[in-house]
Amino acid sequence: ARTLGCAVTAFETSEVSRQLLDDMARRNGVRDRIDIRAACDPDRLAEAIRRGGRGRVAIICDVEGYEGTLLD
């Protein structure tokens, strides 16, 4: 299988959902590429983008109305 070499930072406020994400990533052999964190705010998002480095960044976001604040 071809590996794209991308890194993922996942923000999830629910502890149960973070545990499920961790389990799913382990089962799919990609846990080493995912940084699972709790709440996201503009500063934490900016830090994750900076750590991503290498040019392109994709943001997939569903935060129940907080998008305007988070992505401003």
Side-chain angles (χ1 to χ4, degrees), residues 10 37 52 55:
R37 297 178 170 227

Side-chain angles (χ1 to χ4, degrees), residues 2-66:
R2 182 172 169 240
T3 302
L4 297 177
C6 64
V8 173
T9 300
F11 291 97
E12 175 54 61
T13 58
S14 164
E15 175 66 28
V16 170
S17 294
R18 284 194 306 276
Q19 290 172 356
L20 290 170
L21 176 57
D22 182 86
D23 183 54
M24 182 173 42
R26 285 184 195 288
R27 289 173 186 242
N28 283 285
V30 295
R31 182 59 185 94
D32 62 324
R33 295 188 342 202
I34 301 177
D35 180 13
I36 302 172
R37 297 178 170 227
C40 186
D41 62 25
D43 291 335
R44 290 181 182 127
L45 180 59
E47 176 194 349
I49 291 169
R50 279 191 303 274
R51 274 183 314 170
R54 304 186 220 142
R56 294 189 211 179
V57 173
I59 298 173
I60 301 170
C61 181
D62 179 16
V63 289
E64 308 305 324
Y66 187 58

